[in-house]
Amino acid sequence: MKKQFLEIGRIVGTHGIRGEVRVQPWSDEPEFLKQFKSFYLDGKGEEAINVVSVRPHKNIVIIKFSGIDTIESAEKYRNRIIFINRRDAKIEKGRYFIQDLIGCRVYHIDNGNLLGEISDVSQTGANDVWHIFDGKEEYLIPSIPEVVISVNIEQEEIKIRPIKGIFKDED
């Protein structure tokens, strides 16, 4: 089941003396966070916090929240996870939230065999690597178009054509 509120980053510290916070984003690009007018401090959407400004800075994002105007008030948010409402997110076709991939069943496109479920996703820079667990062992596959044939988040099914040698039963 898809979550409505998704983890998107962690507040790792303050920035300056006017209440800005530094956020380590959990997205492909720090700019992704610029599209949101509010974030949430819980996974249920009960603690909304409005955004005044968002600006990427190297590999972090500096955010100014409404009502947080001093370094002391910003410090209270250190190490808090921030969430987004899925409804507010605009993502490109063919892109997915990692949280939606976890738990999806992975099938071999050519023979229909169940290969396992996605248990984790590593972001390597060049491409993501999906961890597929079959109940006994974990296999790593690159998330590239030559391997990932189709993704159906609604059905929690993914079809792949694995590179030879990844799964033991292949030549």
Side-chain angles (χ1 to χ4, degrees), residues 7-8 80:
E7 296 178 2
I8 198 64
R80 295 284 305 262

Side-chain angles (χ1 to χ4, degrees), residues 15-75:
H15 181 81
I17 60 170
R18 294 197 170 93
E20 292 179 309
V21 295
R22 295 181 339 194
V23 173
Q24 174 191 8
W26 296 339
S27 59
D28 291 343
E29 298 291 330
E31 289 82 14
F32 180 74
L33 274 65
K34 290 174 68 174
Q35 67 181 293
F36 300 97
K37 295 189 181 351
S38 58
F39 292 100
Y40 300 85
L41 298 173
D42 68 319
K44 297 178 183 176
E46 295 172 355
E47 288 185 70
I49 188 163
N50 292 326
V51 172
V52 174
S53 66
V54 177
R55 68 181 192 277
H57 180 69
K58 299 181 183 177
N59 62 343
I60 63 162
V61 178
I62 297 170
I63 300 177
K64 172 74 171 105
F65 292 119
S66 179
I68 301 173
D69 298 315
T70 66
I71 191 170
E72 293 81 13
S73 59
E75 185 64 39

Side-chain angles (χ1 to χ4, degrees), residues 87-110:
R87 207 177 21 224
D88 298 335
K90 294 171 187 65
I91 59 173
E92 296 174 27
K93 183 176 173 144
R95 306 288 302 230
Y96 310 97
F97 292 112
I98 289 174
Q99 295 168 66
D100 291 343
L101 294 170
I102 305 293
C104 284
R105 296 175 309 280
V106 180
Y107 295 92
H108 195 299
I109 186 78
D110 296 326

Side-chain angles (χ1 to χ4, degrees), residues 125-157:
N127 57 267
D128 289 352
V129 175
W130 293 355
H131 301 239
I132 299 175
F133 186 67
D134 68 0
K136 296 177 189 167
E137 293 192 50
E138 181 179 70
Y139 302 94
L140 304 177
I141 65 154
S143 174
I144 56 175
E146 297 81 18
V147 173
V148 178
I149 308 303
S150 70
V151 176
N152 186 328
I153 296 296
E154 305 307 322
Q155 297 287 323
E156 297 183 348
E157 290 184 355

